[in-house]
Amino acid sequence: MEFIRNRYLLVPFLVVFLTFCLDKLLLLENVHTYFSKSLSDINYIQKRQLYEDLKVYLSNKDRDKVLVYFGNSRALLFDNEYIHKKYPGWVMFNFSVPGGKPDYVLQWMEEFHKDNVKPDFFLFDHSVEMYNSAATLKVDETLTNGLNVSFVLKHFSLFSTDDISTLIAKRMFRAYQYRPKLEVILTRAKNKESFLYPYRELRNSLMANLNRGKGSAMTPGTHQSVLPPELLKKSAIGDFHSYLVPFRFSENILSFTNQSLELAKQLGVPTAVIWVRLSLPYMDHIRNLKVSVGDGKEDTVYHDWYPRMVAYHKQNGVPFWNMNDDPNYTCNNFSDAGHMSPTCYDEYTDYIFKNLLHSFVKGAR
């Protein structure tokens, strides 16, 4: 009764509720496009359709063998036409997304396991940056665009308090994620033909290309051609300090990967993990520059991270395809320190399929 008499106490709750409802309007595509600048969310949205397409494709009797690749922005640009011509009988369904992390992979693997979806091969990604829990610049796109709240609650102990805060702030209130600027809104509203409609067309085009490419497509502006050596060196030192200094190995990230591999094993699907090629100057820093690795110790990121990966794969019998230490892989054209140029993707594809086919030959013996 006291609460009813003092109705003004309801005002804060009402304000939060109205703010929450107004915030949800921002997710409407025709509203969203007045202020957003990113295209990465399209990759996440498209994966639900890709999953449905995969289930239909796997039910076909005369289908090709299916490789499902779970990667990040280093694995967005594959070409199934090239795969079909050079490796007939195979097709790739690419579940890679910008900022893709092992938590996002596990969420999908739980879905695959629940629905008993069995492709012919799973390829997972080991990105050294994802294993750093102390990075200056956090990679949080899976939290903001990809993970279901129910998944985070299920695996609550594997997420940090910062992760939970990010999830609450950016998922409950999208305005915090996108930070709409009045200047951008007014410019697009006044110049629809020049700014708003082309941006909408860009988003629609990317979605269509992702559907056509079974999850692979060029995101405009993400991957330029080949960065000159001097600019590549600057990009390398910037990325190194942003993502790998200091370095604290995350057992939680390894736990996500381990659970995904276990689910693949239960499905009976062969699996491998790949460490995608990084630019030579970036790898030089990873191999040779000492950083704080915890407990008052300093070491190189390579020496702290790589032996753990080798030991893990040896213990579990899961193939580890290391592009960075393979002398037979020679394409070193990069768009920035961590992303191979599109000019390398044919050779990148060859590397994957030569290892994949070798795994199948070994498995048949």
Side-chain angles (χ1 to χ4, degrees):
M1 292 296 293
E2 185 70 21
F3 192 77
I4 295 175
R5 284 198 299 270
N6 297 297
R7 291 180 182 177
Y8 66 88
L9 295 174
L10 293 173
V11 172
F13 297 98
L14 182 60
V15 170
V16 171
F17 176 74
L18 291 175
T19 302
F20 181 81
C21 292
L22 180 62
D23 186 81
K24 297 311 110 182
L25 292 175
L26 300 180
L27 298 181
L28 298 175
E29 183 69 8
N30 283 346
V31 177
H32 184 253
T33 49
Y34 274 94
F35 58 83
S36 67
K37 298 178 181 179
S38 173
L39 296 171
S40 64
D41 61 310
I42 296 293
N43 288 271
Y44 284 87
I45 295 168
Q46 191 269 339
K47 294 303 174 277
R48 177 51 57 182
Q49 181 60 51
L50 182 66
Y51 184 60
E52 296 304 319
D53 293 345
L54 173 62
K55 289 191 288 186
V56 171
Y57 187 83
L58 289 173
S59 68
N60 296 333
K61 291 183 179 179
D62 298 324
R63 66 174 178 83
D64 291 337
K65 288 185 174 66
V66 174
L67 163 64
V68 167
Y69 190 173
F70 288 104
N72 51 47
S73 58
R74 292 169 181 157
L76 298 178
L77 312 180
F78 292 99
D79 182 357
N80 268 308
E81 288 188 14
Y82 178 83
I83 293 171
H84 179 71
K85 289 177 182 177
K86 192 156 185 184
Y87 304 97
W90 281 94
V91 64
M92 178 189 290
F93 279 73
N94 192 354
F95 281 78
S96 302
V97 290
K101 294 175 68 175
D103 50 9
Y104 182 71
V105 176
L106 178 58
Q107 179 174 277
W108 271 116
M109 285 303 298
E110 290 181 348
E111 191 89 355
F112 275 64
H113 187 262
K114 176 174 68 71
D115 295 338
N116 200 36
V117 175
K118 298 180 180 181
D120 298 279
F121 202 92
F122 283 121
L123 181 59
F124 299 146
D125 174 84
H126 269 337
S127 288
V128 60
E129 299 91 345
M130 302 302 177
Y131 281 84
N132 186 15
S133 63
T136 301
L137 187 61
K138 298 289 185 181
V139 180
D140 62 7
E141 287 186 86
T142 55
L143 281 169
T144 57
N145 290 318
L147 296 185
N148 298 325
V149 174
S150 58
F151 174 84
V152 176
L153 292 175
K154 179 181 177 181
H155 299 280
F156 190 82
S157 63
L158 296 179
F159 291 93
S160 68
T161 53
D162 284 344
D163 291 335
I164 302 302
S165 297
T166 298
L167 182 74
I168 293 172
K170 292 188 176 182
R171 290 292 287 278
M172 288 188 66
F173 297 97
R174 289 290 185 166
Y176 178 75
Q177 178 184 353
Y178 292 110
R179 313 288 173 90
K181 294 183 178 179
L182 183 60
E183 180 183 356
V184 174
I185 295 171
L186 292 176
T187 299
R188 292 184 183 181
K190 291 177 181 178
N191 303 277
K192 292 182 180 181
E193 297 291 340
S194 300
F195 297 103
L196 181 64
Y197 296 151
Y199 178 59
R200 287 180 177 174
E201 178 57 32
L202 203 59
R203 289 174 65 86
N204 292 335
S205 176
L206 177 57
M207 178 65 82
N209 290 338
L210 285 167
N211 286 331
R212 187 163 46 249
K214 294 180 171 55
S216 296
M218 176 78 77
T219 301
T222 300
H223 296 274
Q224 305 301 327
S225 53
V226 180
L227 203 64
E230 287 305 313
L231 292 180
L232 192 59
K233 289 179 182 178
K234 291 182 180 179
S235 176
I237 196 67
D239 280 10
F240 182 72
H241 283 280
S242 294
Y243 299 113
L244 294 172
V245 181
F247 187 80
R248 300 288 185 275
F249 183 84
S250 173
E251 293 289 349
N252 290 347
I253 292 296
L254 185 57
S255 177
F256 285 125
T257 297
N258 188 57
Q259 290 180 68
S260 292
L261 290 169
E262 179 58 33
L263 290 176
K265 184 178 180 180
Q266 291 177 23
L267 285 169
V269 178
T271 308
V273 183
I274 188 170
W275 184 18
V276 178
R277 186 81 159 192
L278 303 174
S279 68
L280 295 181
Y282 191 22
M283 276 303 302
D284 184 63
H285 299 328
I286 290 171
R287 293 183 199 278
N288 299 313
L289 294 186
K290 290 191 175 183
V291 302
S292 169
V293 295
D295 297 327
K297 298 178 182 177
E298 286 196 347
D299 206 340
T300 66
V301 173
Y302 185 91
H303 188 259
D304 189 76
W305 178 79
Y306 185 65
R308 300 175 194 256
M309 296 298 100
V310 172
Y312 173 82
H313 284 276
K314 183 177 181 181
Q315 179 181 348
N316 292 280
V318 177
F320 181 22
W321 302 346
N322 177 2
M323 294 181 76
N324 288 289
D325 292 321
D326 192 328
N328 296 315
Y329 186 82
T330 58
C331 192
N332 285 305
N333 297 331
F334 280 78
S335 301
D336 59 40
H339 294 90
M340 275 184 282
S341 163
T343 60
C344 281
Y345 263 75
D346 285 354
E347 191 170 339
Y348 182 4
T349 303
D350 292 340
Y351 179 88
I352 288 172
F353 275 88
K354 286 174 183 177
N355 279 280
L356 184 155
L357 295 174
H358 180 68
S359 295
F360 266 76
V361 170
K362 284 182 65 177
R365 289 174 183 169

